[in-house]
Structures are given as structure tokens and as C-alpha cells.
Amino acid sequence: MAHQFFYGKLTTAALMKFPLLEELNLYKIEISKEEIETVGRYCPMLKTLKVNQRGWRLFNADEGSLTRYNEIAMAIGQNLLGIRHLELIGNKMTNLGLRVILDNCHHLETLDLRQCFYIDLKCLNLDISCTKATNLIENP
């Protein structure tokens, strides 16, 4: 899907028509929590999700200003439980959002977090159940 053609509710309406969708690639599209929930509900066969942006840092970013991005990550972790390949290049989520994904997406084989500048893998405190995750994460 290209950003010129799909945005917001139009993306949601389009996704509802593809229940057999296995791969969804979104480039330069601002996706919402609701759209992730729609994908989880109407695309149960989804195995690969790529939501890629150009990574950049927000000036004076704090946890409050990054809440929207954590909500999207949490929606992925709560609604796309069967996802195997997740690419979130340039996402502004923090360790909080990443933790929800790692704790809930048990089938994850690859996780690409390049240009995710608000994730600090050293501070994530991965426990034994998440040791496998360190092998699948492509560093920010």
C-alpha cells in the first residue's frame, strides 16, 4: 500500500476485505491503534507486518509525547499474536511498547527495529522467556 492511496478509515475499510492477507507492507503511512486492531480482527492469517518510516528523534521527547507510538506497539502485541515477521523501522515506541510485543507475540521469528531511537535494549531486562528475542531483534 502506498501512502498516496490509503490513509485512516480508507485503510481500515480496505483491510476488512482481505481476510486471507498474509503480508502487509506499509511505507510512510501513519498507522493508528484502531487500524492495527482492524488488522488483528479481519486478517487472522497475517504473518508479516512492515510499518516503515524514516527514523528521527523528537526534540525534548518524553514518555508522554511518545504515548501514541507505544499505543501502536501495544496494539500489535495485543492483536497480532500470530505474527512471525515484524518490521518497525523508524518507529518511536519505547521499551514499554517493545515489552508488550515480546511478551505476547510468541511466534515472532524476526523483529527489525532499525532507527527506533527510543528503545534501549540494555535497559529492557530480558528474562529467560525472552532470551530467544535477543536473537531475533535487529538492533535500533
Side-chain angles (χ1 to χ4, degrees):
M1 293 189 178
H3 67 91
Q4 290 91 348
F5 303 111
F6 295 96
Y7 184 74
K9 293 184 182 193
L10 185 56
T11 308
T12 301
L15 291 171
M16 292 170 73
K17 298 179 189 288
F18 294 102
L20 300 178
L21 190 69
E22 291 188 13
E23 183 172 338
L24 179 60
N25 301 319
L26 303 172
Y27 298 97
K28 297 183 181 180
I29 294 177
E30 289 290 327
I31 194 162
S32 69
K33 173 186 166 202
E34 292 76 20
E35 289 169 310
I36 295 294
E37 291 168 351
T38 298
V39 170
R41 189 175 308 115
Y42 292 100
C43 304
M45 305 296 289
L46 194 72
K47 302 290 182 242
T48 301
L49 176 64
K50 297 179 181 183
V51 181
N52 297 325
Q53 303 286 326
R54 184 164 186 260
W56 47 275
R57 294 180 192 265
L58 297 171
F59 183 71
N60 290 331
D62 59 10
E63 196 69 35
S65 64
L66 299 171
T67 299
R68 176 187 174 298
Y69 301 100
N70 279 329
E71 286 176 353
I72 292 168
M74 288 183 215
I76 290 170
Q78 294 167 347
N79 294 282
L80 302 180
L81 305 180
I83 199 82
R84 297 188 187 284
H85 307 283
L86 185 57
E87 189 173 289
L88 298 171
I89 297 172
N91 189 285
K92 292 170 193 60
M93 73 175 145
T94 64
N95 286 5
L96 177 66
L98 178 58
R99 170 55 70 191
V100 174
I101 291 171
L102 292 176
D103 286 348
N104 295 304
C105 298
H106 302 290
H107 300 287
L108 209 55
E109 296 172 13
T110 60
L111 176 58
D112 190 340
L113 299 173
R114 287 177 287 165
Q115 297 182 20
C116 293
F117 298 122
Y118 299 99
I119 292 175
D120 183 359
L121 295 178
K122 289 179 231 157
C123 295
L124 198 54
N125 295 326
L126 295 172
D127 59 14
I128 285 298
S129 65
C130 291
T131 303
K132 178 185 168 199
T134 60
N135 297 326
L136 59 91
I137 295 174
E138 187 153 338
N139 288 327

